Amino acid sequence: MSHRSQKAGGRANLVDNARFIRQWIENPRLIGAVSPSGRALAKTMAGFVELEKDGLIIELGPGTGPVTQALISRGIAPERLVLVEYETRFCHLLSERFPGVNIVQGDAYGLKATLAGKVPGKIATVVSSLPLLNRPERDRVELLNQSFEMMGDDGLFIQFTYGLTKSPMPMHAHGVKGAYVGKGSPPIVLNIPPARVWRYRKAGHTGKPRA
């Protein structure tokens, strides 16, 4: 990468951080972080998407688009991506940065209603950057249940968290216990703050083995 490209990338990161801070100040419950996902975290999340599976990739809470960019860089066609974003300013930014991507403005925690009539085909995977730990347990359970209802039993739900000690999904809650299995990645120490990526599947549908 040239020095000029590095400088341009650095300026873009500063602008995105400023956008995140402004949105966080205005609504910390919805944003949940004061900066976008770092490159290492975004790359890790995209790396767990199983490219051989047919179907759409639903991204929840894309913000300024670092995970979206990682998904596209991995080779996922923009037309396979459906981004669900609540904030209007982020929706406008995403439409400028990622032509061909389908952007749906709405509440990801009411996923079925938000995507009703807007998903032209099978859903293979949900990739989420939502601040789950900011929400009540019942909201997280409902999000997982609705996601798998739309994906089917062979779906995959990918979620990052800054909580390093336990699953951000309450795996022993009513409606979750015994129905799903979750696996967390090692801590991603290059992200600030360090984070982990969790993958959730329906029990009995383990999919392709991953590291």
Side-chain angles (χ1 to χ4, degrees):
M1 180 182 292
S2 69
H3 180 63
R4 181 177 297 177
S5 297
Q6 288 177 332
K7 288 181 68 177
R11 285 194 296 270
N13 288 338
L14 287 174
V15 171
D16 283 352
N17 284 339
R19 288 190 177 102
F20 249 75
I21 290 170
R22 182 172 62 185
Q23 293 295 98
W24 180 81
I25 290 171
E26 293 177 1
N27 203 334
R29 182 169 176 268
L30 287 176
I31 302 301
V34 294
S35 64
S37 301
R39 184 176 299 177
L41 174 56
K43 185 176 180 180
T44 300
M45 294 178 74
F48 285 123
V49 173
E50 296 165 348
L51 299 181
E52 69 278 6
K53 290 182 66 175
D54 294 330
L56 299 171
I57 311 299
I58 309 296
E59 185 185 351
L60 309 181
T64 59
V67 178
T68 310
Q69 183 59 63
L71 292 166
I72 292 173
S73 296
R74 188 152 183 254
I76 296 170
E79 57 268 22
R80 286 188 66 192
L81 295 175
V82 179
L83 314 185
V84 179
E85 174 56 53
Y86 189 85
E87 293 292 336
T88 300
R89 279 176 284 192
F90 287 160
C91 287
H92 292 162
L93 179 67
L94 292 164
S95 67
E96 294 173 359
R97 288 186 171 176
F98 305 106
V101 167
N102 184 9
I103 299 168
V104 178
Q105 184 173 12
D107 184 4
Y109 289 98
L111 194 58
K112 287 181 64 180
T114 295
L115 292 181
K118 299 175 182 176
V119 180
K122 172 182 170 59
I123 299 173
T125 306
V126 173
V127 180
S128 171
S129 298
L130 297 175
L132 291 189
L133 298 181
N134 287 1
R135 302 290 294 219
E137 187 175 275
R138 64 179 180 276
D139 291 353
R140 290 179 266 162
V141 169
E142 183 61 19
L143 173 63
L144 196 62
N145 286 338
Q146 286 193 34
S147 296
F148 277 94
E149 188 174 338
M150 298 178 71
M151 290 189 291
D153 288 350
D154 61 343
L156 172 63
F157 190 103
I158 299 170
Q159 172 73 48
F160 96 85
T161 181
Y162 295 128
L164 299 181
T165 59
K166 63 180 181 179
S167 164
M169 284 292 180
M171 297 303 288
H172 296 286
H174 178 72
V176 172
K177 186 176 181 180
Y180 305 101
V181 293
K183 182 177 181 180
S185 73
I188 302 163
V189 295
L190 293 178
N191 196 72
I192 301 174
R196 295 179 73 188
V197 178
W198 282 78
R199 292 94 75 203
Y200 301 95
R201 300 182 189 273
K202 272 290 190 78
H205 292 262
T206 56
K208 181 180 178 180
R210 308 286 291 186

